[in-house]
Amino acid sequence: MRTYHCFWLLFWAGQLRQSCLTPLSKRTSSSPEKEKVLVLSGNSRRDLHRSKRSWMWNQFFLLEEYTGTDYQYVGKLHSDQDKGDGSLKYILSGDGAGDLFIINENTGDIQATKRLDREEKPVYILRAQAINRRTGRPVEPESEFIIKIHDINDNEPMFTKDVYNASIPEMSDVGTFVVQVTATDADDPTYGNSAKVVYSILQGQPYFSVESETGIIKTALLNMDRENREQYQVVIQAKDMGGQMGGLSGTTTVNITLTDVNDNPPRFPQSTYQFRAPESMPPDSPIGRIKANDADVDENAEIEYSITEGDGYDMFGITTDKDTQEGIITVKKTLDFENKNLYILKVEATNTHVDPRFLYLGPFKDSATVRIQVEDVDEPPVFSRPAYIMEVKEDVPINTVIGTVAAQDPDAAKNPVKYSVDRHTDMDRVFNINSGNGSIFTSKALDRETLLWHNITVIAAEINNPKQSSRVPVFIKVLDVNDNAPEFAMFYETFVCENAKAEQLIQTLSAVDKDDSYSGHQFSFSLAPEAASSSNFTLQDNRDNTAGIFTRKTRYNRHEMSTYFLPVVISDNDYPIQSSTETVTIRVCACDHRGKMLSCNAEALIHPTGLSTGALIAILLCIIILLITVVLFAALRRQRKKEPLIISKEDIRDNIVSYNDEGGGEEDTQAFDIGTLRNPEAIDDNKLRRDIVPETLFMPRRTATARDNTDVRDFINQRLKENDTDPTAPPYDSLATYAYEGNGSVAESLSSLESMTTDGDQDYDYLSDWGPRFKKLADMYGAMDSDKDS
């Protein structure tokens, strides 16, 4: 059986106490948190027999926030295998080993190299082992131990918020919950009182209080009024160590706002208000504003105004301005200073939202008296009626009075009034008015049939102040008078058949009248006296405002009489009776046996020399054929015309060559290129003529080309001979210009500039022999000679 040896660890916690290993019998009764039992065995875990305990030790504490200059001593690791000869080596591993915790590998002493903060890490788990330096094998099994950091009060309480905001209704009862504040302490709550927090109030008394253990803030004063003070700032302190002396503390601020309740009724600042209103103020116009003060805000300060009583209850109204909570007094009806100049009203202001809890304070309304003084205003004249309706007969003579308007000044002064007609409503000046008494009379003749109603406007103005004026409409109806005779409803033109029989109805007549008849029109029809006995037709009055025309004889001859004109007299039955004579045109026509009209034209049969319709059609056809012939002949003549020889400047023949370049004389060879004249091979002689039909052309004769660089004069002579002997030349003269002067000039220079340099005088008499074109030059130079001579 393998021999087991003990491995002892010695620890000193916080340099305050040293924990030594004790026998097993004493440690078995210890709690699991404060002692650890390690079994070191070389056998496998599969062995079922109980292993011998090699070491054990208590859980130890190490003080946090060590402030000494040396390393803090933790404890000592020792094995019973250690003979003191340095053959064993101690190794430490786990949390912070080698950095935060170091071990002396020879002696087994463990030290902390840094300040430890329990709030960062409260427990460190380490593993210890002893090995043989020579073989490198462990002499003891690796075991685990715990270092627990001992807490000190190094953290003050911290509130969850830097600033708290809360609100409660004003007038709340004592002990009303406001808000709860919370502070936390990072220290160990299981060790001592380092994390035990107690709350207290530093600022905010006597209005509020705080529960020391819970941090709940409550009201401490009765009837806190928002109108007296609305904002409160309370400072709460949280202190650890149970609030004892030496504990750490933290503070926070709580802003508490009192919200409004309707605990104040509206109150008028004065009992009586006075306003002045001119009587000319239109309805719905504001007169003035009143306001009842309410110390509350928002909906608790909303006020509704009303007029409860007064002698102007129906003359005035009041509304509430929602933005300013003012009462706006308005006029509802037109004021009249002459009728009443003073009104007294009672106005009441009431809260719209009433809190029943505060009704004991009294009614939440107030009233005030409003006096309204009506001011007199110079008002315009007032007509007796809002409108006038008059009637006049259309046959009344001019200057007939048809009615009267009346207006007067409503003011106490009773200023006189003058009348006039607004000419914009009576452009034709049909009516006029007496400016003094307002009587309206006609100034022109009236005609109901032209215009039935006349709508004019009459103006009444004060004589002393013409700006004060008023207007009234006057509607004048023109009454009818029987001044128009009846007439046919339409123009009547009818026909009668040649084979008509006697007493045959050929046309029914009707009439209209422009006049208006109250009992209805009744027309009578008759033939004119001059046609009653001699007419070939008769007229029958049907007594229903119509009449019929009948034939008097049998058969009519359109060759003898083609048209009849029948005068008809139409009369009405009104007073005075009006009548008119209308004419009916009756044409005689040829008809079939059913009486259907065939033809009413009799001119061809009446005139023997006349042409029939067939003859007229034949004449028209001949004229059309003649016109077509003339047009065709003109078109053929136009096609036969030959096209002119030269159509444009692009013609390639050497007829006329225009260079439009004056040049600088014979020796100026840069002005234009005469290479074409010197090189005749550049000219294409095979191009066809454009003025002769190609079929009539002879084949052009090819000529031998001139030598290169031959003299231009020879080239021109050669071309002249070719043109003279060419059988395809046109039968008319043509011009070929080659524009080559040659070397030298026989005429020499005509300039007078060169003559100025000569020693002798130049004789210009020969200019007179050159003809009339040079007469001006001859006169000029001849005059110069005469001047010299003189």
Side-chain angles (χ1 to χ4, degrees):
M1 185 173 185
R2 184 176 298 179
T3 303
Y4 291 91
H5 305 278
C6 293
F7 192 21
W8 303 89
L9 286 177
L10 303 178
F11 298 97
W12 289 262
Q15 296 180 354
L16 298 178
R17 65 178 182 175
Q18 181 177 0
S19 299
C20 299
L21 295 178
T22 58
L24 180 61
S25 60
K26 295 182 179 180
R27 293 301 179 185
T28 55
S29 62
S30 301
S31 62
E33 294 182 357
K34 293 187 177 181
E35 80 175 31
K36 197 118 184 154
V37 178
L38 299 180
V39 179
L40 301 179
S41 175
N43 298 330
S44 173
R45 292 184 179 179
R46 297 178 182 179
D47 296 339
L48 299 178
H49 61 273
R50 187 172 183 179
S51 301
K52 180 182 177 181
R53 295 175 179 171
S54 176
W55 63 32
M56 63 181 174
W57 62 91
N58 290 333
Q59 175 177 285
F60 75 97
F61 294 91
L62 183 64
L63 186 65
E64 70 168 336
E65 302 294 342
Y66 171 72
T67 58
T69 57
D70 298 331
Y71 289 163
Q72 188 177 3
Y73 187 76
V74 178
K76 184 179 181 65
L77 178 66
H78 182 73
S79 174
D80 57 1
Q81 298 290 332
D82 189 357
K83 304 300 182 179
D85 55 359
S87 61
L88 295 183
K89 178 181 179 181
Y90 297 96
I91 298 176
L92 189 66
S93 62
D95 293 341
D99 179 19
L100 184 59
F101 300 101
I102 59 176
I103 188 171
N104 189 321
E105 59 182 16
N106 295 321
T107 62
D109 293 326
I110 302 173
Q111 292 179 313
T113 61
K114 297 180 181 179
R115 295 174 58 183
L116 302 178
D117 189 357
R118 189 202 67 84
E119 286 70 38
E120 291 183 2
K121 190 173 179 63
V123 176
Y124 294 87
I125 300 175
L126 299 172
R127 292 181 297 278
Q129 191 174 27
I131 62 175
N132 189 295
R133 288 181 181 273
R134 185 174 59 83
T135 63
R137 294 182 179 180
V139 297
E140 297 286 353
E142 185 182 58
S143 298
E144 186 177 82
F145 63 93
I146 296 175
I147 300 176
K148 188 172 183 181
I149 308 301
H150 183 73
D151 183 47
I152 64 172
N153 189 18
D154 59 344
N155 291 280
E156 71 275 6
M158 299 292 293
F159 283 93
T160 56
K161 293 182 181 179
D162 294 334
V163 177
Y164 290 82
N165 293 302
S167 62
I168 58 170
E170 62 174 335
M171 310 299 290
S172 296
D173 297 333
V174 175
T176 301
F177 174 83
V178 179
V179 70
Q180 183 178 13
V181 297
T182 303
T184 58
D185 196 317
D187 292 325
D188 188 0
T190 63
Y191 179 77
N193 294 327
S194 298
K196 185 177 182 181
V197 178
V198 175
Y199 300 94
S200 62
I201 184 168
L202 300 182
Q203 177 183 324
Q205 296 174 333
Y207 307 104
F208 302 95
S209 62
V210 62
E211 293 183 356
S212 60
E213 295 181 359
T214 61
I216 296 176
I217 301 175
K218 299 181 179 179
T219 57
L221 189 64
L222 186 64
N223 295 332
M224 286 191 293
D225 193 357
R226 186 199 64 83
E227 287 71 36
N228 294 331
R229 183 177 178 183
E230 184 177 3
Q231 299 287 340
Y232 294 86
Q233 190 175 73
V234 179
V235 178
I236 302 297
Q237 181 189 65
K239 191 173 184 181
D240 58 12
M241 299 296 293
Q244 298 177 4
M245 186 73 67
L248 303 178
S249 64
T251 60
T252 187
T253 301
V254 182
N255 295 323
I256 302 175
T257 303
L258 296 184
T259 58
D260 185 61
V261 297
N262 192 7
D263 59 339
N264 294 279
R267 291 289 180 264
F268 283 106
Q270 58 192 68
S271 60
T272 303
Y273 294 86
Q274 292 188 357
F275 298 100
R276 307 180 73 87
E279 62 176 338
S280 61
M281 181 174 289
D284 298 328
S285 299
I287 296 176
R289 291 172 175 252
I290 61 175
K291 184 177 182 180
N293 297 325
D294 194 328
D296 298 321
V297 294
D298 299 332
E299 66 175 12
N300 297 319
E302 292 181 1
I303 301 174
E304 183 177 350
Y305 297 89
S306 61
I307 299 175
T308 57
E309 58 183 70
D311 52 0
Y313 183 80
D314 59 339
M315 295 293 295
F316 302 93
I318 188 169
T319 58
T320 303
D321 188 336
K322 299 300 182 181
D323 296 329
T324 62
Q325 297 300 315
E326 294 178 315
I328 305 173
I329 301 175
T330 58
V331 59
K332 295 169 61 177
K333 297 182 180 180
T334 303
L335 302 176
D336 188 358
F337 172 82
E338 289 74 24
N339 185 25
K340 187 176 180 62
N341 56 17
L342 179 63
Y343 294 90
I344 299 176
L345 308 174
K346 185 178 180 181
V347 178
E348 187 175 82
T350 307
N351 276 141
T352 57
H353 301 278
V354 179
D355 193 338
R357 296 178 300 170
F358 304 102
L359 289 177
Y360 68 92
L361 298 176
F364 280 76
K365 60 183 178 179
D366 195 15
S367 60
T369 301
V370 178
R371 298 169 58 89
I372 301 176
Q373 181 72 43
V374 181
E375 297 179 343
D376 188 22
V377 176
D378 189 8
E379 300 176 273
V382 177
F383 284 94
S384 60
R385 300 179 189 174
Y388 292 87
I389 299 177
M390 302 178 182
E391 294 181 347
V392 59
K393 289 187 176 182
E394 61 177 331
D395 62 344
V396 296
I398 298 176
N399 296 327
T400 300
V401 176
I402 61 175
T404 302
V405 298
Q408 62 178 359
D409 184 10
D411 299 324
K414 301 297 180 184
N415 294 322
V417 177
K418 64 177 181 179
Y419 304 91
S420 62
V421 176
D422 185 358
R423 291 305 173 187
H424 292 90
T425 61
D426 187 22
M427 303 291 291
D428 297 331
R429 296 181 175 270
V430 179
F431 302 95
N432 212 333
I433 191 171
N434 189 307
S435 62
N437 58 21
S439 59
I440 300 174
F441 56 90
T442 61
S443 58
K444 288 185 179 181
L446 303 176
D447 186 7
R448 188 201 70 86
E449 287 72 34
T450 302
L451 187 59
L452 177 61
W453 284 93
H454 294 269
N455 303 328
I456 65 174
T457 300
V458 175
I459 303 173
E462 295 182 6
I463 296 178
N464 299 334
N465 187 10
K467 293 183 178 180
Q468 293 295 334
S469 63
S470 57
R471 310 162 76 88
V472 68
V474 179
F475 306 102
I476 302 173
K477 182 180 181 181
V478 181
L479 300 178
D480 184 47
V481 175
N482 191 25
D483 57 347
N484 292 280
E487 56 188 14
F488 281 148
M490 57 180 292
F491 176 73
Y492 289 102
E493 182 178 5
T494 184
F495 70 95
V496 61
C497 295
E498 287 183 314
N499 56 357
K501 297 179 181 180
E503 301 300 325
Q504 183 178 344
L505 177 65
I506 62 174
Q507 182 65 48
T508 299
L509 307 177
S510 62
V512 294
D513 195 336
K514 295 180 180 179
D515 294 323
D516 189 13
S517 177
Y518 296 101
S519 59
H521 292 291
Q522 293 182 4
F523 303 122
S524 60
F525 299 86
S526 63
L527 292 177
E530 64 272 13
S533 58
S534 61
S535 176
N536 293 319
F537 303 92
T538 59
L539 181 68
Q540 179 181 341
D541 192 347
N542 298 328
R543 302 300 179 182
D544 60 353
N545 293 337
T546 63
I549 300 177
F550 295 86
T551 58
R552 176 174 285 182
K553 63 178 183 178
T554 301
R555 300 192 65 84
Y556 293 85
N557 191 343
R558 58 175 172 163
H559 306 300
E560 295 178 358
M561 179 66 69
S562 62
T563 305
Y564 293 93
F565 298 98
L566 185 65
V568 178
V569 178
I570 311 172
S571 303
D572 56 21
N573 63 342
D574 292 333
Y575 181 82
I577 296 176
Q578 300 288 341
S579 62
S580 64
T581 302
E582 301 288 333
T583 302
V584 179
T585 302
I586 304 173
R587 301 178 63 189
V588 180
C589 301
C591 303
D592 57 11
H593 64 280
R594 293 189 300 271
K596 184 178 180 180
M597 181 182 64
L598 298 177
S599 175
C600 297
N601 190 3
E603 287 77 4
L605 300 176
I606 294 174
H607 302 285
T609 59
L611 296 177
S612 64
T613 303
L616 292 175
I617 294 174
I619 292 173
L620 290 176
L621 289 175
C622 292
I623 293 173
I624 293 173
I625 293 173
L626 181 61
L627 291 175
I628 293 174
T629 304
V630 172
V631 172
L632 292 176
F633 182 76
L636 293 175
R637 288 288 303 273
R638 183 180 297 274
Q639 290 183 356
R640 290 178 181 177
K641 281 188 176 182
K642 289 186 178 180
E643 188 180 10
L645 179 62
I646 300 175
I647 297 177
S648 66
K649 293 183 179 180
E650 297 178 358
D651 192 11
I652 60 173
R653 293 183 299 107
D654 293 332
N655 291 332
I656 299 177
V657 180
S658 176
Y659 292 98
N660 296 326
D661 195 336
E662 184 177 353
E666 295 82 0
E667 297 180 1
D668 184 6
T669 60
Q670 302 299 323
F672 55 87
D673 185 12
I674 62 172
T676 302
L677 297 178
R678 294 186 178 273
N679 186 13
E681 293 178 353
I683 300 177
D684 187 4
D685 294 333
N686 295 328
K687 293 183 178 179
L688 301 179
R689 296 175 62 114
R690 300 172 63 185
D691 57 336
I692 299 177
V693 180
E695 288 77 7
T696 62
L697 291 175
F698 292 95
M699 292 301 295
R701 181 170 54 88
R702 181 175 299 275
T703 58
T705 59
R707 300 188 307 272
D708 292 340
N709 299 324
T710 57
D711 190 80
V712 176
R713 183 181 303 173
D714 296 337
F715 167 71
I716 293 175
N717 292 332
Q718 181 180 352
R719 296 297 289 171
L720 286 174
K721 292 179 181 180
E722 291 176 356
N723 281 288
D724 291 339
T725 59
D726 188 3
T728 62
Y732 43 80
D733 293 335
S734 61
L735 180 62
T737 303
Y738 296 98
Y740 187 81
E741 188 176 353
N743 295 325
S745 177
V746 178
E748 298 179 349
S749 175
L750 298 178
S751 173
S752 61
L753 296 176
E754 186 177 356
S755 62
M756 295 297 292
T757 59
T758 60
D759 297 333
D761 295 332
Q762 181 74 25
D763 186 7
Y764 298 102
D765 292 339
Y766 63 89
L767 294 175
S768 301
D769 299 334
W770 285 9
R773 295 186 177 181
F774 296 88
K775 185 176 183 302
K776 187 65 177 178
L777 290 174
D779 293 341
M780 292 174 58
Y781 287 92
M784 292 174 60
D785 294 340
S786 62
D787 292 341
K788 281 185 178 182
D789 296 337
S790 63

